[in-house]
Amino acid sequence: MTPAVKAAEKGGVRFRLHEYQHDPQAQSYGLEAAERLGLPAGQVFKTLLADVDGRTQVAMVPVDRSLDLKALARAAGGKKAAMADGALAERLTGYVLGGISPLGQKKRLPLWVDDSAGGYDTLYMSAGRRGLEIEMAPADLLALTGGRMVPLARWGAAAEAAPTSDA
């Protein structure tokens, strides 16, 4: 059981786990999850870490979209945002890249979820390891994390410049 699953259980929210065989050669962990589980890519969210004016933030966007760093900076009340280094993301969250969950992180960081999440009854996100997704209502995710829903996603390359992007 991962810290993400423990956090969901402790929070008392309804959730479902979905497991699939992860392919170590996969180019995009998030798109792989959507494909293996037969889900629309817009309903599967990747968890990204970024630095906004010296403060680490967590952002979630659909796996088929990119994080708009300017939008994240605005949401977090900052001026400039940049993707966090992969090693830092792993150290702060306690998860490996491709398995970073917004739940059960070592250090609780501000969470921003793209507002497209509001169009779904449930979202899918990493449950703390590659090949394991957790499904829950967007409102439950926000309640568990203290997160906020804001416009963050943009169309374009699904993968960010840094490998931390597809967690």
Side-chain angles (χ1 to χ4, degrees), residues 47-138:
T47 305
L48 313 170
L49 272 73
D51 180 275
V52 176
D53 297 341
R55 300 180 325 265
T56 305
Q57 308 285 312
V58 179
M60 293 179 65
V61 297
V63 299
D64 61 348
R65 298 192 193 161
S66 296
L67 172 61
D68 182 335
L69 290 168
K70 289 180 182 181
L72 176 61
R74 277 191 305 274
K79 294 184 189 278
K80 186 171 175 128
M83 293 302 296
D85 173 71
L88 175 66
E90 290 183 340
R91 189 170 63 252
L92 290 177
T93 64
Y95 297 117
V96 298
L97 298 179
I100 295 178
S101 178
L103 303 169
Q105 295 181 355
K106 277 183 167 180
K107 181 176 180 175
R108 188 167 180 171
L109 299 165
L111 175 70
W112 307 93
V113 180
D114 183 62
D115 60 0
S116 66
Y120 295 100
D121 292 334
T122 61
L123 301 179
Y124 294 76
M125 67 212 80
S126 178
R129 70 173 167 80
R130 297 172 189 154
L132 185 65
E133 295 285 302
I134 188 166
E135 174 190 6
M136 70 175 54

